[in-house]
Amino acid sequence: VELVHMASLVHDDLIDRAALRRGHATAWRTHGSVGARATGDYLFARAFSELAASDDAEGVQILADAALALVRGEALQHAQTHRPETTVDEYLHRCSLKTAELFRAACLLAGRDPRLGEFGRALGMAFQITDDILDCTGSTFETGKVAGNDLREGTPTLPLLLAAREDEVVRAALAGGPLDGALIRVAGTGAFDAAREVALRYAAEARSHLDGRYRPELEALTHIVVERRN
């Protein structure tokens, strides 16, 4: 799962032209587009090679489904770029494909329990929404990334979509217009608080899928993902 995750990050940074990841220069900035693309491809292949060696056919299918979802989610993000009219439901569907399905796969690979899979899916949604808030509010020192990348790239995340409904400057910036002052204006709309409420609801949903097994540890994760600063 982590190999697939790393592969997706290497490819995402290349597509988004992101300069930093965890405070370090991204692979494409250091080794060029060809090197980054090949590295991502290698990591994907290595993940399935490792899993296939375990003779776990069901596990291979679980991870393959998640990898296919990642690609579909990336295609959706491309289609939604610079579209402030993207609906919240469309955004949430993209999050489910790009992030939550990989969380779900990790939990299913560990336990093959459908309820555990649903826990992972809801946890992934809470994680991604929080990540999108941090893209706007986090400092580079804390997150290891340059703040405001989603707005610069025209990626319609939940806080930006909610702010765009209230502020025409933010809406124009998300559509590809001038960025001056737009990120600061997002905070004035209350979009961060509203988006955080959605993340908290998904965290609560994740907890609702837990039974007695490993509950303290897994429940702790539902708080960590929405309270983190990086």
Side-chain angles (χ1 to χ4, degrees), residues 8-142:
S8 72
L9 295 182
V10 171
H11 282 170
D12 277 355
D13 289 340
L14 173 59
I15 293 168
D16 298 339
R17 289 296 190 262
L20 293 175
R21 170 72 66 178
R22 297 297 180 191
H24 298 281
T26 50
W28 78 270
R29 284 293 297 268
T30 304
H31 303 289
S33 298
V34 174
R37 190 177 299 112
T39 299
D41 291 347
Y42 170 80
L43 290 170
F44 271 121
R46 186 60 184 268
F48 285 100
S49 175
E50 293 286 336
L51 193 52
S54 70
D55 293 324
D56 183 0
E58 182 184 12
V60 171
Q61 187 62 61
I62 289 170
L63 193 59
D65 289 343
L68 287 169
L70 284 173
V71 177
R72 290 173 56 207
E74 188 61 48
L76 268 182
Q77 180 168 309
H78 178 73
Q80 293 171 2
T81 299
H82 293 307
R83 288 187 64 241
E85 65 273 17
T86 299
T87 68
V88 170
D89 283 345
E90 288 172 335
Y91 160 81
L92 293 174
H93 181 51
R94 188 183 85 219
C95 289
S96 177
L97 292 171
K98 280 203 68 175
T99 304
E101 283 299 316
L102 192 60
F103 275 67
R104 177 175 176 272
C107 291
L108 285 177
L109 286 169
R112 308 299 161 92
D113 181 339
R115 290 190 64 187
L116 202 55
E118 287 306 300
F119 164 82
R121 183 194 61 78
L123 184 71
M125 295 295 290
F127 179 94
Q128 184 59 60
I129 294 168
T130 301
D131 213 51
D132 291 341
I133 296 170
L134 287 173
D135 180 82
C136 299
T137 64
S139 69
T140 301
F141 176 78
E142 290 178 311

